[in-house]
Amino acid sequence: MKFEMFGKDFKSLIDRISVCVPKKTYVYSMECVKISASGNTVTVQATDGEDFGTINVYADVYEDGQTWINLNDLKKITAINDMVLVSATPNIFEVRSGKKTYQIPCREYDEGDYAVFPKMTNNNVMAILKDKDLLNHLSKLNCMRSESENNKLLTVFCIDLPKQKIVALDGNRIGVANLVGGQFMDNRRQLLICGTLYNKLKTIIKKSKDECRISFYADAKHIMLEGDDWKYVTKLVEGVYFDYEKLINDVKTNPEYTYTFDKAELLRIAKEYAKVSKGSNRPMILYNYNGNVATSIEVEGYRTSDVVETVNPEYGMEREFYCGMDARYVVDACNMFDGEVTSKGKYSQVVPILMMDDTYECLILPINTSEENARFARKQVA
């Protein structure tokens, strides 16, 4: 095997495929990447046994071939100039860049021992999304997942094709992204994907100013995402997802109060409250104050209150209401939005609060507040 390519493409190739190689494994073949050259394309493949990645890059191929190299050996190749000349014998993988030459051992074993891409039984595209939109949605919803493996369904992303949404929840809040601008060819299924998808995709997807599209394929066991020069296959998570819309619609369609505010002010306040309440689990209180929304918190004798001006108090603000929420969850919710946010809720302290705009929705479950907190809130209102 022998090929020549741009040095930056070679380095990017190794960095991008590395997320599919497990950091710790007892299976030696999984520590390696498979490098193939044919026609005018160099292909690298890697797997951890459950996730499979492949990336294709243009190159001048002089001799077709393939080999397997330990990823840690490839990472030792650091001094790369404009062009690299790569050649491989059965024993040695050689990389030349300028005056620098690297030689690392090829790994010999039966190709049958190397996990290959699962054969998808459904080759029809189910949906097409813009890569930047998908990464943006996953980054904002990633904090809404649970990291605990006690309930697998709380750790996943749900791609709800019938509703054209991506959902994540952890039992305390629900985050929803509406897939505006996507194309949907098959809207019969919900696809449950492991929560590690975001961190892997943001590395595999080539950083570019140009807009690229990602095609979704799925069969009974796997989902495949395909970009302009890459493919990623992972196992679908088994199970029936939660009826998240029931909770959201109960507040969304039958609110007792509705108001709109600029998220920047509430975000600033929530960050301060999250800092002072760290380690104490004290709730952040939200309540109405002369048509605006006031906030307060009490931690070990320290008490403070603020007012968030409402842009458009639509209705229901004339009655007293207050509820307690985790300030960290309010920070995460505000970070989902860009400008004005609409909030809906009910006067009961045990009903969740919904924050939403045209693209995102976040439902936050309340925290029980003590009577002392309630008296402090009423005193500020008075």
Side-chain angles (χ1 to χ4, degrees):
M1 180 175 68
K2 189 175 183 179
F3 60 86
E4 188 174 22
M5 65 190 303
F6 289 110
K8 62 181 181 61
D9 289 341
F10 181 80
K11 189 69 170 65
S12 173
L13 201 61
I14 304 307
D15 291 340
R16 293 167 62 193
I17 200 62
S18 64
V19 296
C20 293
V21 178
K23 294 181 179 179
K24 293 183 179 180
T25 178
Y26 295 104
V27 182
Y28 177 75
S29 63
M30 291 184 185
E31 296 178 346
C32 300
V33 298
K34 178 182 178 181
I35 302 178
S36 309
S38 178
N40 60 356
T41 303
V42 170
T43 301
V44 295
Q45 290 180 299
T47 180
D48 61 4
E50 293 189 357
D51 299 340
F52 303 79
T54 182
I55 302 174
N56 301 307
V57 176
Y58 174 82
D60 293 322
V61 178
Y62 306 126
E63 295 180 16
D64 292 358
Q66 63 184 27
T67 189
W68 290 263
I69 309 294
N70 187 288
L71 177 66
N72 291 325
D73 290 339
L74 285 172
K75 288 183 175 180
K76 296 174 184 177
I77 303 175
T78 55
I80 295 178
N81 296 323
D82 291 340
M83 300 296 294
V84 295
L85 179 63
V86 179
S87 58
T89 66
N91 299 316
I92 298 297
F93 184 81
E94 182 178 276
V95 178
R96 293 183 180 181
S97 181
K99 297 180 180 180
K100 188 75 171 178
T101 299
Y102 294 91
Q103 289 187 340
I104 54 181
C106 297
R107 303 300 176 177
E108 296 183 7
Y109 49 82
D110 190 336
E111 184 176 356
D113 294 338
Y114 193 80
V116 296
F117 262 67
K119 292 184 179 180
M120 304 292 292
T121 58
N122 179 14
N123 294 318
N124 298 320
V125 179
M126 304 183 72
I128 299 176
L129 302 176
K130 298 176 183 178
D131 58 350
K132 290 182 173 58
D133 287 347
L134 178 61
L135 287 179
N136 188 42
H137 294 329
L138 293 179
S139 69
K140 292 183 175 182
L141 295 174
N142 196 41
C143 63
M144 303 286 171
R145 301 183 303 105
S146 172
E147 296 295 335
S148 172
E149 294 292 331
N150 292 333
N151 188 333
K152 189 69 175 179
L153 294 180
L154 295 177
T155 69
V156 305
F157 292 109
C158 173
I159 301 179
D160 192 340
L161 295 179
K163 305 297 182 182
Q164 300 181 11
K165 302 174 185 290
I166 300 180
V167 186
L169 56 85
D170 64 359
N172 296 303
R173 59 260 174 94
I174 304 173
V176 179
N178 295 301
L179 298 176
V180 180
Q183 301 177 42
F184 300 89
M185 296 77 172
D186 186 342
N187 59 358
R188 293 173 295 175
R189 296 177 60 186
Q190 289 183 336
L191 306 176
L192 305 184
I193 305 178
C194 180
T196 58
L197 174 73
Y198 168 63
N199 288 326
K200 293 188 176 182
L201 279 188
K202 70 179 183 180
T203 302
I204 291 176
I205 295 176
K206 181 172 60 178
K207 295 180 180 179
S208 172
K209 295 181 180 179
D210 298 329
E211 183 178 271
C212 299
R213 296 181 179 274
I214 299 176
S215 299
F216 287 71
Y217 306 80
D219 56 20
K221 295 183 178 181
H222 296 90
I223 180 172
M224 181 173 77
L225 282 66
E226 182 177 17
D228 55 345
D229 66 348
W230 59 272
K231 292 181 182 178
Y232 176 83
V233 176
T234 186
K235 291 183 178 179
L236 290 169
V237 177
E238 297 180 354
V240 178
Y241 202 60
F242 307 99
D243 187 3
Y244 65 93
E245 282 204 318
K246 181 178 181 180
L247 275 173
I248 291 178
N249 287 337
D250 182 54
V251 178
K252 186 177 181 179
T253 60
N254 299 297
E256 293 180 343
Y257 64 83
T258 301
Y259 58 88
T260 303
F261 62 94
D262 190 322
K263 71 108 178 191
E265 185 64 14
L266 182 59
L267 176 60
R268 179 192 64 79
I269 295 169
K271 283 183 176 180
E272 177 190 343
Y273 288 9
K275 186 176 181 179
V276 300
S277 64
K278 187 176 181 180
S280 68
N281 296 322
R282 300 296 290 175
M284 170 182 179
I285 310 297
L286 273 73
Y287 52 94
N288 60 339
Y289 179 74
N290 293 335
N292 294 313
V293 177
T295 63
S296 66
I297 193 167
E298 182 271 328
V299 180
E300 297 179 355
Y302 170 83
R303 290 179 174 179
T304 184
S305 61
D306 296 88
V307 175
V308 180
E309 293 186 6
T310 55
V311 179
N312 183 22
E314 296 182 18
Y315 63 90
M317 298 294 287
E318 68 280 355
R319 281 186 56 184
E320 175 186 321
F321 69 85
Y322 64 91
C323 67
M325 291 190 294
D326 191 316
R328 297 170 301 173
Y329 298 162
V330 178
V331 171
D332 292 338
C334 289
N335 282 329
M336 295 177 64
F337 308 106
D338 293 325
E340 293 185 354
V341 182
T342 297
S343 181
K344 298 184 177 184
K346 296 191 176 184
Y347 299 125
S348 172
Q349 297 179 48
V350 298
V351 175
I353 288 181
L354 176 66
M355 298 183 185
M356 58 185 292
D357 63 7
D358 293 337
T359 305
Y360 296 102
E361 299 173 354
C362 183
L363 190 76
I364 306 176
L365 272 63
I367 299 176
N368 289 333
T369 60
S370 66
E371 182 58 29
E372 182 181 358
N373 285 341
R375 286 197 301 269
F376 178 61
R378 293 191 187 99
K379 183 178 179 181
Q380 306 310 305
V381 174

